[in-house]
Amino acid sequence: PTRQIRDFTNVKQLYESIAKAFGIPTSDILYCTLNTHKVDMTRLLGGQIGLDDFLFAHVKGATKLVKVLKDGPALGLTISDNGAGYAFIKKIREDSIMSRVKDIGVGDHIQAINGQDLTGCRHFEVARMLKEIPIGMEFTISAVEPRKAFDAIAPRGQLAAPKQELKPGEARKTLRMKSNGAAVVEDEPTSDVQQTIQKIDDLLEQFIGIRDGELSSTMYHMARESPEAEVFANKLDTQLNDFEFPDDFVLDVFEMVHKKK
């Protein structure tokens, strides 16, 4: 079934609107993908929605409890979150500790670690908690997989609205949901800007073990508006101080953005 969603300015309100339209609890929604019913982590909803995009909401399925022996410094997980209180597994590296764990997969919501409820935690908090588990310790993860109801139906990518023909020099429009609660219609970022934002996201995974397209886009704009690296660092300390970004990461992002200017 499909519904038209309206009256939202941020991700939490979007999920509330989806839940209301379909008559389900908001807490059942794990995350949304754009223009595909599959659990495709490359098509996750971030802070921007194209005005001709279709959203597919993925809801809670079975809960499972797995044991993990941390026999090395890195588990091989990349964590993301839905912007509304649920952290989930975005990537499992091959030949890693987690790749050898049965019954855990990409797209699973990490509900608890060693019985500690993680509802409301951001991705970086979950990644930090996993990193701080001592080597040699066995721990448990309570995970919730996305419901697999869509797997039994035909692909629905054709449901996406046809792309509008653009006039010369005209850019596609996107709805950008900002962390301050505002939502604005903007031109879709150019390919160069998208590539730079993707590289920032790659750095986030490398330095912190998370991926977050919205955060990467926010950092891109903050760096672009900063004339010097020190100004950019001060903005991060003021507005995103929870992340505790390493100095090398801050400098890499600033230089990456300003090489494109």
Side-chain angles (χ1 to χ4, degrees), residues 34-208:
L34 297 175
N35 302 319
T36 179
H37 68 280
K38 297 179 180 180
V39 179
D40 184 345
M41 295 292 102
T42 68
R43 307 297 296 277
L44 280 172
L45 167 67
Q48 290 186 318
I49 308 172
L51 297 189
D52 51 3
D53 281 336
F54 260 79
L55 292 179
F56 289 80
H58 298 263
V59 299
K60 289 181 177 179
T63 300
K64 49 202 178 181
L65 186 69
V66 298
K67 293 182 178 181
V68 182
L69 174 62
K70 188 175 181 181
D71 55 5
L75 292 170
L77 284 182
T78 298
I79 309 296
S80 191
D81 67 45
N82 67 355
Y86 289 166
F88 56 89
I89 299 171
K90 189 168 186 180
K91 179 180 177 182
I92 300 176
R93 296 180 184 84
E94 293 183 5
D95 300 321
S96 65
I97 294 173
M98 292 305 300
S99 70
R100 301 191 297 269
V101 177
K102 295 181 179 180
D103 298 325
I104 198 82
V106 170
D108 287 355
H109 160 47
I110 301 177
Q111 181 175 251
I113 295 175
N114 285 336
Q116 180 177 342
D117 184 10
L118 300 181
T119 302
C121 289
R122 295 298 312 277
H123 44 27
F124 67 92
E125 294 174 304
V126 176
R128 184 183 300 156
M129 186 179 300
L130 291 169
K131 185 177 181 180
E132 290 175 351
I133 293 174
I135 296 175
M137 178 179 175
E138 185 178 74
F139 65 97
T140 60
I141 294 178
S142 175
V144 180
E145 64 184 28
R147 189 183 299 170
K148 293 181 170 62
F150 276 135
D151 292 350
I153 66 175
R156 300 175 64 183
Q158 64 267 29
L159 285 177
K163 299 290 184 182
Q164 297 178 348
E165 293 294 327
L166 299 177
K167 298 177 182 178
E170 184 180 8
R172 295 191 187 279
K173 300 295 183 181
T174 64
L175 180 69
R176 184 181 177 205
M177 295 177 287
K178 297 186 176 182
S179 57
N180 63 4
V184 295
V185 175
E186 300 179 334
D187 289 343
E188 186 176 75
T190 65
S191 59
D192 282 350
V193 170
Q194 289 176 338
Q195 288 175 9
T196 303
I197 292 172
Q198 179 61 48
K199 289 179 179 178
I200 294 172
D201 209 33
D202 292 341
L203 284 176
L204 275 175
E205 181 179 19
Q206 177 185 337
F207 279 89
I208 304 176

Side-chain angles (χ1 to χ4, degrees), residues 208-238:
I208 304 176
I210 64 173
R211 278 194 176 273
D212 188 325
E214 181 182 1
L215 175 61
S216 299
S217 178
T218 297
M219 295 184 69
Y220 169 84
H221 290 286
M222 290 172 65
R224 189 182 62 178
E225 295 164 2
S226 301
E228 299 176 354
E230 185 175 352
V231 175
F232 176 51
N234 288 336
K235 285 184 178 181
L236 293 178
D237 288 341
T238 302

Side-chain angles (χ1 to χ4, degrees), residues 200 203-204 207 219 245-254:
I200 294 172
L203 284 176
L204 275 175
F207 279 89
M219 295 184 69
F245 296 117
D247 291 342
D248 289 349
F249 171 82
V250 174
L251 288 173
D252 285 351
V253 170
F254 181 81

